[in-house]
Amino acid sequence: MLRDRLFKGYVSSWMPVALFLLLTGMFWIGDRSLYHKLYYIMGAVPTLIVVCLCWRRFSFLREEPLFLLFIVFSFYVMLSLAWSPGAADYSKLKHPLYIGMLIVAVAAVGEHDMRRLVQALGLAGGVAALAALASSVAHVAAGQQARFEGFGALYNPLLTSHVYGFFAALWLGALLSSSRLRPLKLMMLVILVFLLFQTGSRTPFLALGFCFVWLLVLVADRRIVWLATALGIIAAAGLWLFGANLVERGLSYRPFIWVETWRQIMPALWFGHGYDADIDIVLTDVNVLLADPHNLTLAVVYQTGLIGGALWLAIYAYGFFGAWRLRSSGLVLISSTLLVYGFMAGMTEGGSFMSRPKEHWFLVWIPIAIHLAVLRKIKRSRAPGAPISAAA
């Protein structure tokens, strides 16, 4: 049937390419508005069309708690627009649709052929390492002493570190998914970490440190020894070359920002100020006005209250619990490492937890989408009577 051919072409060819373009587009597209359009044209709109025409093919998502938690969280976030101060911006109702199409698309590819999803991630990880290498060479050759800001659609050191840190976490998890050391994967990780040092951002290193602890808990065998040795050498070299950039800024007012955010949360503790509500935090010492709490979880609580915060944390709690149960799978090691990276990076930076495609998607929604697809595939492959899957 035509619908069957349409769906097969979508999951086996179109969407893997679209995912690859989404993951790598920041490096080469050169314009942020074009990056948004790239995702709408290649990912969101085709997915919406295929869902409408072949909706039965996506019915498996009704069985996935992680997807249902996302739906409930999104519905509550959009409902909170009703009590946002001033005139609510209802154009933001499109944001959960963009994110939902990503999750649905990645889950469908994983359900149909996990190898396609793994290939798209691997190729994107290779392109990220090449982009990091070219950027590092250009930055060093130019004799730049300032923090690396980025090329392509990347323009800010911290936001740039989100994207490259995502791929560093990908290769970190991939290293532990193998029973022995893979030099190519290690080389990819080294290149990406070297660029992260040049951004001068501490956030990715904090998050990667937690990723290592997470992998230590999940794996706990001799692989951790050689990984710890390799990471120790990388960290020592990076601190020797770029250490001053990392420590000279202290805590960057984070404790004050979080205390002030919590003070502003209290008047609307349970339901929040609304998804469209702005926050103003004044750093009087440096005469700076901040528009976000530099903590994604606090941003969720500020706008949606403790109820929204509980739903947000429930998404991660289920993701981590599912990873623990299926920790013997190499794919789960990778996807859960991405989840840990995004969650911990979001604890010290950010406020835009639900938005159009941008750097924060590499912290939140792309890891969640990948992790959902992997958990679903591994659970199915281990169900009684299921055929043995090489991906498990």
Side-chain angles (χ1 to χ4, degrees):
M1 291 179 61
L2 179 60
R3 290 182 182 179
D4 292 335
R5 292 198 297 270
L6 173 66
F7 179 79
K8 185 175 180 180
Y10 166 79
V11 294
S12 63
S13 301
W14 184 277
M15 199 56 219
V17 172
L19 179 60
F20 171 80
L21 295 176
L22 174 68
L23 292 172
T24 63
M26 283 279 184
F27 306 135
W28 50 264
I29 203 164
D31 186 277
R32 297 174 68 79
S33 63
L34 289 178
Y35 182 71
H36 297 154
K37 293 172 184 175
L38 174 71
Y39 172 67
Y40 302 152
I41 294 171
M42 294 296 297
V45 172
T47 299
L48 185 59
I49 293 172
V50 173
V51 168
C52 291
L53 294 177
C54 312
W55 60 269
R56 288 188 178 87
R57 295 279 194 166
F58 299 88
S59 61
F60 68 90
L61 286 167
R62 295 179 298 183
E63 306 170 7
E64 288 306 309
L66 200 54
F67 181 72
L68 298 179
L69 284 169
F70 162 74
I71 294 296
V72 174
F73 174 72
S74 299
F75 178 79
Y76 179 73
V77 171
M78 294 303 103
L79 182 64
S80 73
L81 282 169
W83 58 82
S84 292
D89 182 5
Y90 289 104
S91 67
K92 291 189 174 183
L93 291 171
K94 296 181 292 186
H95 293 174
L97 180 62
Y98 299 150
I99 297 166
M101 290 301 97
L102 170 72
I103 295 174
V104 167
V106 174
V109 174
E111 181 82 355
H112 181 76
D113 189 350
M114 179 57 70
R115 290 174 300 177
R116 298 283 188 180
L117 180 58
V118 172
Q119 288 168 358
L121 284 172
L123 288 173
V127 169
L130 289 174
L133 179 61
S135 298
S136 294
V137 170
H139 190 249
V140 172
Q144 295 286 344
Q145 298 300 317
R147 297 168 64 185
F148 174 73
E149 295 181 350
F151 295 120
L154 298 169
Y155 67 97
N156 176 283
L158 182 56
L159 298 179
T160 296
S161 75
H162 293 345
V163 180
Y164 283 108
F166 167 89
F167 288 105
L170 173 70
W171 289 117
L172 180 62
L175 273 170
L176 265 292
S177 69
S178 304
S179 58
R180 56 192 178 89
L181 180 64
R182 302 288 183 177
L184 182 59
K185 294 179 182 179
L186 181 60
M187 182 178 68
M188 301 284 191
L189 177 61
V190 170
I191 292 171
L192 289 161
V193 170
F194 185 75
L195 183 70
L196 290 176
F197 274 112
Q198 293 181 70
T199 67
S201 174
R202 282 81 53 86
T203 293
F205 294 106
L206 173 69
L208 289 171
F210 275 94
C211 289
F212 176 77
V213 173
W214 172 254
L215 290 169
L216 175 63
V217 172
L218 292 192
V219 178
D221 63 21
R222 64 183 181 182
R223 285 176 287 178
I224 288 293
V225 176
W226 54 254
L227 181 62
T229 303
L231 292 180
I233 295 171
I234 296 170
L239 290 172
W240 180 59
L241 292 169
F242 307 102
N245 241 358
L246 294 175
V247 299
E248 64 185 7
R249 300 192 309 280
L251 297 177
S252 299
Y253 296 95
R254 290 299 194 274
F256 172 82
I257 295 169
W258 298 333
V259 170
E260 176 61 18
T261 300
W262 191 255
R263 185 189 68 78
Q264 296 188 39
I265 285 171
M266 293 306 293
L269 179 62
W270 287 100
F271 299 102
H273 295 275
Y275 175 51
D276 203 26
D278 295 323
I279 187 171
D280 293 326
I281 300 171
V282 180
L283 301 181
T284 55
D285 289 355
V286 290
N287 195 29
V288 171
L289 177 66
L290 300 178
D292 73 69
H294 286 64
N295 184 305
L296 286 174
T297 300
L298 282 180
V300 171
V301 176
Y302 176 80
Q303 293 190 342
T304 65
L306 291 181
I307 295 175
L311 292 171
W312 169 266
L313 292 177
I315 292 173
Y316 283 98
Y318 181 83
F320 295 141
F321 177 71
W324 174 256
R325 291 181 56 199
L326 301 172
R327 59 189 181 277
S328 60
S329 165
L331 288 180
V332 170
L333 289 179
I334 296 172
S335 66
S336 64
T337 300
L338 295 174
L339 196 68
V340 170
Y341 173 80
F343 181 73
M344 294 311 304
M347 294 302 286
T348 60
E349 199 282 327
S352 181
F353 58 90
M354 189 169 278
S355 65
R356 294 183 297 172
K358 61 179 186 177
E359 292 89 348
H360 289 86
W361 275 35
F362 287 83
L363 299 186
V364 183
W365 302 116
I366 294 175
I368 287 174
I370 294 170
H371 193 53
L372 186 154
V374 168
L375 289 183
R376 166 74 183 178
K377 188 66 175 180
I378 302 305
K379 283 190 296 185
R380 286 188 66 238
S381 68
R382 297 184 180 183
I388 297 175
S389 172

